[in-house]
Amino acid sequence: MGNTEGEFDLLDPDGAEGVGDEWEEIDVTDTEADRVARKRDREFNQFRKRIKDADQFKVEASVFDEATLRALYRLVHHGHIQAFGGPISTGKEANVYEALGAEEQVAVKIYRINASDFKDMREYLIGDPRFEELGGDKKRVVLAWTRKEYANLERARKAGVRVPTPIAVERNVLVMEYIATDGERAKRLNEVEIENPETAYNVVREYMRRLNDAGLVHGDLSEYNIVFHEGQLVFLDMGQAVTVHHPNSEAFLRRDCENVTNFFTRQGLETDADDLYAFVTGESVAEE
């Protein structure tokens, strides 16, 4: 062991401030930050109780875990959600609820973190470089997936595709435009009588082409996630959409083409999946 003599100096007692008085007064006055923090805690606890006590949410304990409640509270605090309504749809990975936004009704999509097994998500995740580092961590995957859906909606909207307008995202919660008429969700294509199938088909294939031009493939397109709203067709469920660089993007696009042409063939049109694929990818010149 080396010699440490002379390496350390003691504080000169003359430089010390002396022994403290154990009864000396200590300032415990609240700061403004303390008051704000306590107020937020009280508000959050009240919010949590309202959500958990609400009849429409009592059976959804797996959805409204603590982290999700805090995410919802932040969205409320920032004015994106004013009040909750009932569920619009429920699924294995996510539930969608109606809510009152800053100015109008909105849809709030909440992805499950604890309950989801991701069986239906895996084929869209494997090979996507954005998810390679996430491994099997469910929470990280869900948070990334939620932000991915927000980004996909924004990209589709900018490409001229009618989709719900994304409003805000917080952890596993996505707030977006609620596609509804008089408080009722818009009808899916399989739920309505299509008066002009040819026009509807041309709109769908044009939207598919615009998505492709923007570097996206829906990946799960069918009559079940295209709705009719105020004279427009709207694409829903953009969470699983992948970029054209995904190793399975071509297979996903061909499956989309099969689903779309099969539906419109049942509507009496002569359609072909290969022709639709060629139109979407630009491999053929579309007829005017």
Side-chain angles (χ1 to χ4, degrees):
M1 178 179 293
N3 183 7
T4 61
E5 184 178 354
E7 291 186 4
F8 303 101
D9 293 323
L10 290 173
L11 179 67
D12 186 343
D14 292 338
E17 296 182 355
V19 179
D21 180 357
E22 63 177 311
W23 301 109
E24 68 181 338
E25 184 178 351
I26 298 174
D27 184 6
V28 293
T29 305
D30 277 358
T31 66
E32 182 60 26
D34 291 330
R35 288 190 288 272
V36 170
R38 276 207 309 276
K39 182 174 183 292
R40 292 277 175 81
D41 286 342
R42 288 196 302 271
E43 290 174 347
F44 171 69
N45 288 334
Q46 292 168 358
F47 173 79
R48 175 172 52 190
K49 188 176 188 306
R50 286 200 307 272
I51 291 292
K52 289 191 173 182
D53 287 349
D55 289 339
Q56 68 265 43
F57 303 134
K58 284 182 178 178
V59 296
E60 301 297 341
S62 63
V63 176
F64 294 97
D65 58 18
E66 190 76 5
T68 300
L69 287 171
R70 289 195 175 276
L72 288 168
Y73 174 70
R74 285 192 288 272
L75 290 165
V76 170
H77 179 70
H78 288 105
H80 299 301
I81 301 173
Q82 303 293 334
F84 263 97
I88 300 170
S89 64
T90 58
K92 289 179 291 184
E93 280 80 32
N95 286 4
V96 183
Y97 297 90
E98 179 184 359
L100 177 62
E103 298 179 354
E104 57 188 2
Q105 299 298 108
V106 296
V108 180
K109 189 171 189 176
I110 303 176
Y111 279 99
R112 290 180 172 87
I113 291 180
N114 297 324
S116 177
D117 58 12
F118 300 106
K119 287 182 180 178
D120 294 333
M121 290 183 176
R122 286 195 183 99
E123 66 174 320
Y124 302 101
L125 298 177
I126 296 173
D128 190 325
R130 295 172 295 181
F131 291 88
E132 286 178 354
E133 296 182 1
L134 300 181
D137 188 319
K138 282 187 177 183
K139 181 178 75 172
R140 296 181 66 198
V141 168
V142 169
L143 301 189
W145 184 279
T146 310
R147 290 195 170 274
K148 173 192 172 191
E149 180 162 13
Y150 182 96
N152 287 344
L153 287 170
E154 188 64 20
R155 187 189 293 199
R157 188 183 66 82
K158 290 179 178 178
V161 179
R162 181 68 175 99
V163 295
T165 301
I167 297 171
V169 62
E170 184 74 43
R171 288 181 57 82
N172 58 316
V173 182
L174 172 64
V175 182
M176 56 189 164
E177 175 189 4
Y178 180 25
I179 307 299
T181 303
D182 296 329
E184 297 291 332
R185 70 165 177 82
K187 299 294 185 183
R188 302 182 183 96
L189 281 191
N190 67 305
E191 298 174 324
V192 299
E193 182 178 345
I194 303 175
E195 294 182 1
N196 193 330
E198 183 175 3
T199 299
Y201 175 68
N202 286 336
V203 171
V204 170
R205 72 172 191 162
E206 174 62 20
Y207 281 172
M208 292 175 69
R209 184 189 67 79
R210 292 181 185 182
L211 276 181
N212 192 79
D213 288 348
L216 285 178
V217 174
H218 187 285
D220 191 31
L221 193 63
S222 72
E223 64 270 25
Y224 298 103
N225 45 36
I226 303 173
V227 299
F228 182 78
H229 175 63
E230 296 182 351
Q232 295 181 322
L233 296 180
V234 186
F235 282 14
L236 304 181
D237 299 331
M238 294 293 296
Q240 76 291 318
V242 300
T243 71
V244 293
H245 305 293
H246 191 285
N248 295 326
S249 63
E250 181 180 353
F252 292 159
L253 178 55
R254 288 194 178 278
R255 184 175 64 190
D256 286 351
C257 291
E258 289 283 352
N259 290 339
V260 168
T261 53
N262 285 342
F263 173 74
F264 281 101
T265 295
R266 295 196 297 273
Q267 302 302 309
L269 288 184
E270 292 185 8
T271 60
D272 180 83
D274 290 336
D275 289 345
L276 177 56
Y277 178 87
F279 173 82
V280 171
T281 58
E283 294 181 5
S284 68
V285 178
E287 295 180 4
E288 297 294 336

